[in-house]
Amino acid sequence: MKVTVDWSRCDGNGVCAAEAPEVFELDDADELTLLTAEPGEELRAKVGAAVAACPKRALGIEG
């Protein structure tokens, strides 16, 4: 599984970080960091929830 981020759409609202903190992190300046672009399969449900919850539709999963 590979996580994709459309950085032009991301507005740093942090929903993804709340859903999958192992994969996404929001800093004090509301800047998103992708901690790992290829998380293990055990995180698929959490990443899927983050993708579904993103209000800007900036996230995706490949594979």
Side-chain angles (χ1 to χ4, degrees):
M1 162 177 61
K2 182 176 179 183
V3 178
T4 61
V5 180
D6 181 342
W7 297 105
S8 68
R9 298 185 93 170
C10 178
D11 68 356
N13 62 51
V15 175
C16 57
E19 293 290 341
E22 302 89 344
V23 179
F24 305 99
E25 182 176 79
L26 198 64
D27 68 16
D28 293 336
D30 291 337
E31 294 291 325
L32 180 69
T33 300
L34 184 60
L35 299 174
T36 178
E38 295 185 16
E41 282 299 313
E42 70 278 3
L43 294 174
R44 184 174 287 273
K46 284 186 168 188
V47 173
V51 169
C54 180
K56 295 293 187 172
R57 302 291 179 235
L59 305 175
I61 298 174
E62 296 176 359

